[in-house]
Amino acid sequence: MLSVVTQTSKIGFIGLGVMGAQMCAHLIRNGYSNMHVHTRTKSKADPILQMGAKYFDTPMDVAKESDVLFTMVGFPNDLIQVALDETRGALNHLKPGSILVDFTTSRPSLAKEIAEKAKSKSIYSLDCPVSGGDVGAKNGTLVVFAGGEKEALDAVTPLLQCFSQRITHFGGPGQGQQAKMANQIVICSTMIGVCEGLLYARKAGLDLDDFLSTISLGAASSFSVSKLAPRIVKGDYAPGFYVEHFVKDLSICMEEARMMNLRLPGLQLALSLYEELIADGDGRLGTQALIRALERKNQVSLFPSSLDG
């Protein structure tokens, strides 16, 4: 039987990175204070521990204490270890009726595998990748792409509403991940346009701040224009979302597109450019660092330098 989720329920959160820590904090601020957490770098949990959460040394230990377990890790292999490991995986230690909610952007096939194993143990599983970056996580305005049983989603919706502005159920297991893949395809091509537009404006002698403030009110407006382009103009490449994680996402998109017999040249170009960033040592920068790959290709910089031609 599905657990009834209340503010006294035991909540687990595994993965307190750039976004996970903010999401966890919103849950605690909204009264879900019976919080149990784990993250690979324990110091990242310090702000959450100061809010009253309890730290556990392994994901397994968090799972044992959780009625609802949230996971947000970096890569599919991390998720396999956290959720499916035969000895220490969460699904071997969650109670029947509990709910596993995974925020990791991962393979749809893996979401289905997790859901099948969860069902065999009378555990509910949801794949709920999110979008909105560090800004959305901080402001509580993320969007959630949900896949899995609607009954389980309804049970955790009050928790998801603590840090999101929209929650959409796209269908059964894996469909949340499929929706997130489509989202990433939109973002990657948009980011190319933003960076190319900034380079063009720079070479044309336009004031970049004036340019951005103007296009943000017209048809070119987007999250990338309003939130990330100003960081590019300031030379701020701090990660709201890591390049290396974006390459992981786009690689999954390419795999899924091939299985659908789709040819998506914009996606292919974006993936190749972001892979160049990783090859140049920029994998731990934010996705707005795409501008650096295009600067190198054109031997021109947004900033006065010897690269300008």
Side-chain angles (χ1 to χ4, degrees):
M1 181 180 295
L2 182 67
S3 297
V4 176
V5 182
T6 68
Q7 288 192 324
T8 61
S9 296
K10 295 180 179 180
I11 311 299
F13 210 113
I14 297 171
L16 300 175
V18 172
M19 296 173 65
Q22 298 283 358
M23 296 158 70
C24 186
H26 281 298
L27 287 166
I28 296 173
R29 292 190 195 103
N30 280 273
Y32 297 96
S33 56
N34 197 355
M35 183 67 67
H36 310 80
V37 302
H38 171 80
T39 194
R40 281 187 299 192
T41 305
K42 186 177 179 181
S43 60
K44 291 184 178 180
D46 287 346
I48 302 301
L49 300 183
Q50 291 171 10
M51 298 176 74
K54 299 176 184 178
Y55 187 85
F56 290 83
D57 290 330
T58 70
M60 173 183 70
D61 293 327
V62 176
K64 289 177 180 178
E65 295 293 328
S66 299
D67 300 311
V68 178
L69 177 62
F70 295 114
T71 56
M72 191 167 194
V73 295
F75 295 90
N77 285 341
D78 298 325
L79 181 57
I80 290 170
Q81 183 177 5
V82 166
L84 296 176
D85 184 86
E86 289 299 328
T87 303
R88 304 172 71 83
L91 288 179
N92 290 311
H93 298 282
L94 286 166
K95 299 179 292 291
S98 58
I99 307 170
L100 172 64
V101 184
D102 179 42
F103 297 126
T104 310
T105 300
S106 183
R107 297 189 300 270
S109 60
L110 179 54
K112 292 179 181 179
E113 181 181 353
I114 290 171
E116 288 174 5
K117 182 169 182 178
K119 187 175 182 179
S120 73
K121 295 178 175 292
S122 300
I123 296 167
Y124 294 82
S125 175
L126 297 166
D127 50 291
C128 290
V130 297
S131 184
D134 61 330
V135 174
K138 181 178 180 180
N139 295 336
T141 55
L142 294 170
V143 297
V144 180
F145 307 92
E149 293 188 41
K150 183 66 162 56
E151 179 187 11
L153 179 61
D154 290 342
V156 298
T157 289
L159 286 76
L160 301 180
Q161 288 173 332
C162 294
F163 47 74
S164 63
Q165 60 178 317
R166 183 181 177 96
I167 304 157
T168 304
H169 184 231
F170 285 94
Q175 290 302 99
Q177 295 293 353
Q178 293 287 18
K180 180 63 185 290
M181 292 302 109
N183 178 79
Q184 301 303 71
I185 291 168
V186 172
I187 289 174
C188 70
S189 293
T190 301
M191 202 68 219
I192 292 175
V194 169
C195 293
E196 289 185 342
L198 286 171
L199 281 179
Y200 184 94
R202 166 77 170 87
K203 288 293 285 186
L206 305 180
D207 182 275
L208 296 184
D209 291 326
D210 287 344
F211 172 67
L212 286 179
S213 63
T214 301
I215 69 169
S216 66
L217 300 176
S221 180
S222 68
F223 180 92
S224 296
V225 167
S226 62
K227 304 298 184 184
L228 297 181
R231 298 187 190 184
I232 294 173
V233 171
K234 294 176 182 176
D236 176 6
Y237 305 121
F241 192 70
Y242 289 113
V243 166
E244 63 183 15
H245 289 170
F246 201 39
V247 166
K248 174 261 297 182
D249 294 357
L250 300 185
S251 297
I252 295 171
C253 291
M254 286 295 296
E255 293 171 8
E256 294 293 322
R258 278 193 289 267
M259 288 190 285
M260 296 174 184
N261 294 316
L262 287 176
R263 298 181 64 186
L264 303 177
L267 167 61
Q268 189 169 8
L269 173 60
L271 177 56
S272 67
L273 290 171
Y274 275 106
E275 286 176 334
E276 288 180 20
L277 282 179
I278 289 182
D280 288 326
D282 293 336
R284 298 294 288 177
L285 299 180
T287 53
Q288 69 272 24
L290 181 64
I291 191 70
R292 292 163 69 101
L294 293 171
E295 286 176 327
R296 293 171 188 136
K297 283 185 177 296
N298 288 281
Q299 290 294 293
V300 63
S301 172
L302 288 185
F303 311 100
S305 77
S306 58
L307 286 177
D308 287 350

